[in-house]
Amino acid sequence: MEKLVEAGLEIPRFSTLDAMASAVRAEVNEEILAGIRDRMTAEERRGLLGLPDVVGLDRKTLFNALKQNPGRATWSNFKRLKGHLEWLDSLGDTAKWLQGVASGKVADFAGEAEAQDAATLRDYTEDKRVALIACLAAKARMRARDDVATMFCKRMAAKVKKARDELEEIRRKQQEIVEALVGNYRILLQQVDVGGPAQTSRAQAAAMTKQSLDALEGLDEESSAEEVAGRLEGRVSPAFLLLAEGLMVQSNGLASVTAAVEKFGGFDAQYAQIERVSAHHGDNWEVLLHGGT
């Protein structure tokens, strides 16, 4: 301003400057509109100009489809959005149409188009109508690509969460089974351990078998019934020999169970392992508080 005053030049009025700026803006916009139009094929221009036309009995236009939002992250919406993106891609190469156009100008044109409806859009010249729809299509295409990626990530996150929840439920049920098996194993060990019912019965059976065999000493399968009856004063039959042998087999079978436990480290070691597993059954986290900081 000082330079203008020093030079004695007349300062134009604001309205004059505004008119000049408007004229320059209009000239630049015309160049942009013409450039967008020229980078399109005739078929692409016809396709964009036809979007504001009413189609179907619902009186809706495809122009409004450029403004749709993605909706909730569901598989049905994902499929619909994917189809919407394919439709946008079929309109043409928006990157080619808007090549060299400033992103700010594209955003302005897209915002202006989004604020219109199909009826008011027809008030624009054909070149501007094509350019506005092209910018809105470019914005919709970019937004649809982002929405497809975002919705896919959300759906996959939901699927992963569901899968993890199912795995956790399976682990919980398996843990219940393991806990039941551990408890059953403890009971089994107690049955066959020293002092348990099985060992007591085994000792009694062994003693009774020894007494029976001592009574039958010298007899075999060929012994007559009279000989056996005479030895045992007529109280048993020769089948007692087979019964006595069966008792011995049963006693030896129980001994094999005890021997197997000894191979695992013995009864005391098995009980200690059961106690370590049982200490954290269910939701028993309180025992972990001991010694915590």
Side-chain angles (χ1 to χ4, degrees):
M1 295 293 291
E2 292 178 357
K3 295 297 182 181
L4 291 175
V5 172
E6 291 177 0
L9 299 175
E10 181 181 356
I11 301 175
R13 296 191 308 174
F14 176 78
S15 58
T16 303
L17 294 175
D18 186 52
M20 293 173 60
S22 297
V24 172
R25 186 183 302 110
E27 183 177 347
V28 171
N29 285 345
E30 287 298 326
E31 292 179 359
I32 293 175
L33 299 179
I36 295 174
R37 179 199 61 206
D38 293 341
R39 283 187 288 272
M40 292 182 182
T41 65
E43 183 178 355
E44 289 172 340
R45 284 197 298 272
R46 284 195 299 270
L48 293 186
L49 290 173
L51 294 181
D53 295 338
V54 174
V55 292
L57 300 177
D58 56 2
R59 308 296 297 172
K60 292 183 178 180
T61 68
L62 293 176
F63 173 71
N64 288 329
L66 297 176
K67 308 177 186 181
Q68 74 173 27
N69 58 62
R72 294 176 59 251
T74 62
W75 281 123
S76 58
N77 279 340
F78 177 78
K79 294 176 182 178
R80 177 187 56 78
L81 188 59
K82 184 173 179 293
H84 178 63
L85 178 58
E86 292 174 353
W87 172 70
L88 290 171
D89 289 339
S90 70
L91 296 178
D93 188 355
T94 56
K96 177 183 176 182
W97 299 343
L98 305 178
Q99 185 178 1
V101 181
S103 58
K105 184 62 70 174
V106 173
D108 289 342
F109 283 164
E112 184 176 353
E114 198 163 17
Q116 308 301 318
D117 55 29
T120 57
L121 197 62
R122 295 190 182 93
D123 296 335
Y124 291 95
T125 63
E126 182 176 302
D127 282 354
K128 188 167 185 179
R129 188 160 68 246
V130 167
L132 291 182
I133 297 175
C135 291
L136 182 58
K139 178 182 177 180
R141 187 183 183 191
M142 179 175 60
R143 183 170 53 196
R145 289 181 181 276
D146 292 342
D147 291 340
V148 165
T150 300
M151 191 173 294
F152 178 77
C153 291
K154 288 182 177 179
R155 288 308 307 163
M156 290 306 300
K159 295 289 287 185
V160 169
K161 182 180 182 302
K162 182 179 179 181
R164 285 177 174 172
D165 291 343
E166 290 179 358
L167 178 60
E168 186 62 30
E169 179 64 16
I170 292 173
R171 286 175 175 172
R172 185 188 65 79
K173 292 180 179 179
Q174 289 179 340
Q175 181 64 26
E176 292 177 355
I177 296 174
V178 170
E179 292 174 4
L181 291 176
V182 169
N184 295 341
Y185 184 49
R186 184 207 300 269
I187 295 173
L188 177 62
L189 288 177
Q190 291 171 346
Q191 294 294 315
V192 300
D193 197 1
V194 176
Q199 292 290 357
T200 301
S201 298
R202 178 195 175 197
Q204 292 176 352
M208 294 171 64
T209 302
K210 184 177 184 304
Q211 291 177 2
S212 300
L213 293 177
D214 288 344
L216 297 174
E217 185 177 0
L219 297 178
D220 55 27
E221 295 179 356
E222 301 299 328
S223 299
S224 65
E226 290 76 9
E227 185 179 0
V228 175
R231 178 72 65 84
L232 299 177
E233 299 178 355
R235 290 173 294 179
V236 295
S237 69
F240 185 78
L241 286 171
L242 185 60
L243 177 60
E245 291 180 359
L247 290 173
M248 289 299 295
V249 172
Q250 184 179 21
S251 179
N252 292 334
L254 181 58
S256 67
V257 176
T258 305
V261 175
E262 293 299 332
K263 288 182 179 179
F264 296 149
F267 285 90
D268 291 341
Q270 293 296 290
Y271 286 137
Q273 291 181 1
I274 290 174
E275 290 302 322
R276 283 197 294 271
V277 173
S278 300
H280 307 292
H281 277 185
D283 194 28
N284 188 18
W285 51 268
E286 289 89 347
V287 296
L288 300 177
L289 295 177
H290 179 70
T293 56

